[in-house]
Amino acid sequence: MSKAIGLFKITRLHPLLFFVMFLAVVTAHFIELLLLLLIIFVHELGHAAAASHFSWRIRRITLLPFGGVAEMDEHGNRSLMEETIVVAAGPFQHLWLAGLSMLLYEVGILPEYWHTRFMDFNKMVLLFNLIPIWPLDGGKLLLLFFSLWEPFGRAHRKMLLFSTAFLALFAGLAAFMGPFTLNVWIILSFLCFSMYFEWKQRRYVFLRFLMERYYGKSGDFRHLKPLNVTEEEKLHSVLEQFQRGCKHPVIVTRKDGNKTSLDENELLHAYFAEKMLTAKIGDLLYTY
């Protein structure tokens, strides 16, 4: 119960949302807006509740004029299964919301008009969030999908490239079907900005992933995945091969043909603690 109350305490309304509320009152669409906000809030609350169950660090839940976001201080080192549950917890809320609306309509509490409107809004929010575009739930699931076999950095870049392609397709459909729909273009602008910002921050995102791994927040490893490298390979290029859910013993082939092994934590320590940013793997063999 205390966790649930805590989630309500960290919920915020974006300042622009108050302006949208004012317009909704003026245009006599305030109830429709409340229904939409209720659906969005429950959706984001689903993410936050699942994250809280796994003891994630939740910063805030923010309701925007065109959606919502549950902000977490987790950077790619929870298990893939755990993160999949957190991402899927949002869309899952729409199932019981639809069932509740149907029940209230059947027993005569909810009028047909509002039941229909609620179901339309509920379906719209669900389907929109499943579009594979970052930072929608579909985009996050796309990142998790690529992370199954790709290193973190490469999976992140692939997700952004695929998201860009889907966004271009979505924008084309919007221009063809409803070119003068302001809300759609506001949402498209937000998605464009989010992906541009994520692309500009991709190196920082990768470093956060490594840093949390270095400090022991590595989640559950699915299996060992040895990395075979040579003495001449750069430390940062080997770190770029690190994959979510995998523990990486680093097998180094020396110049004389002999092999030795380094633990991944030795590489992370050299990079973050010793600041060996331009070092070769061979330099670590004489340090540890």
Side-chain angles (χ1 to χ4, degrees):
M1 180 62 70
S2 59
K3 284 188 175 182
I5 296 175
L7 294 179
F8 282 94
K9 287 182 177 180
I10 61 174
T11 300
R12 302 290 183 268
L13 300 181
H14 193 278
L16 284 178
L17 185 55
F18 293 102
F19 177 68
V20 174
M21 289 180 174
F22 170 76
L23 292 179
V25 171
V26 172
T27 57
H29 289 93
F30 187 66
I31 297 180
E32 285 90 341
L33 178 62
L34 286 182
L35 289 178
L36 185 59
L37 289 177
L38 173 63
I39 293 168
I40 293 172
F41 176 64
V42 172
H43 177 105
E44 298 303 331
L45 202 61
H47 291 307
S52 178
H53 173 74
F54 292 116
S55 299
W56 285 27
R57 296 160 298 175
I58 306 169
R59 293 176 60 191
R60 67 180 68 89
I61 300 172
T62 305
L63 296 181
L64 305 168
F66 43 79
V69 58
E71 299 177 53
M72 317 287 182
D73 273 329
E74 301 293 336
H75 307 296
N77 279 297
R78 295 288 184 157
S79 72
L80 290 171
M81 178 59 69
E82 188 173 302
E83 187 162 343
T84 300
I85 292 173
V86 172
V87 174
F92 178 78
Q93 307 309 309
H94 297 275
L95 301 180
W96 72 262
L97 282 174
L100 178 61
S101 180
M102 181 64 70
L103 176 62
L104 294 177
Y105 169 66
E106 291 293 338
V107 300
I109 297 177
L110 190 64
E112 181 179 359
Y113 174 80
W114 293 115
H115 166 64
T116 302
R117 296 293 286 167
F118 184 87
M119 294 294 281
D120 288 342
F121 290 155
N122 192 52
K123 181 171 63 175
M124 177 186 68
V125 175
L126 171 61
L127 294 179
F128 177 74
N129 270 280
L130 291 179
I131 299 175
I133 299 174
W134 183 266
L136 303 177
D137 294 338
K140 294 175 182 178
L141 291 174
L142 192 63
L143 175 59
L144 293 173
F145 175 72
F146 287 134
S147 296
L148 287 171
W149 62 81
E150 297 275 14
F152 178 84
R154 194 180 305 163
H156 186 251
R157 290 192 298 273
K158 272 192 174 183
M159 177 276 296
L160 288 174
L161 291 174
F162 272 76
S163 290
T164 301
F166 280 109
L167 180 59
L169 177 61
F170 184 50
L173 291 174
F176 177 74
M177 300 178 65
F180 303 110
T181 306
L182 180 61
N183 289 345
V184 173
W185 291 108
I186 292 175
I187 293 172
L188 284 171
S189 299
F190 168 75
L191 293 176
C192 285
F193 172 79
S194 296
M195 283 200 296
Y196 173 76
F197 183 79
E198 191 72 14
W199 178 260
K200 293 286 288 184
Q201 295 290 316
R202 65 190 184 279
R203 184 64 185 174
Y204 176 61
V205 171
F206 174 67
L207 290 176
R208 286 191 309 183
F209 162 73
L210 292 180
M211 188 172 293
E212 285 213 348
R213 198 173 179 115
Y214 173 55
Y215 286 108
K217 300 170 184 176
S218 53
D220 298 322
F221 293 120
R222 299 195 310 274
H223 55 266
L224 292 176
K225 186 176 182 179
L227 300 178
N228 294 292
V229 304
T230 66
E231 284 190 63
E232 296 302 310
E233 290 191 50
K234 294 288 188 179
L235 171 60
H236 65 80
S237 67
V238 177
L239 292 175
E240 288 174 357
Q241 300 179 47
F242 278 25
Q243 185 176 340
R244 295 184 60 168
C246 297
K247 178 74 172 178
H248 296 298
V250 181
I251 311 301
V252 185
T253 301
R254 295 176 176 268
K255 294 179 181 179
D256 59 8
N258 293 322
K259 294 186 177 182
T260 189
S261 177
L262 291 171
D263 186 82
E264 68 168 54
N265 290 328
E266 295 177 282
L267 275 68
L268 293 169
H269 179 78
Y271 193 82
F272 288 110
E274 301 297 330
K275 308 299 181 183
M276 300 173 66
L277 306 182
T278 60
K280 297 179 179 180
I281 294 297
D283 298 334
L284 275 65
L285 298 178
Y286 309 102
T287 303
Y288 298 99

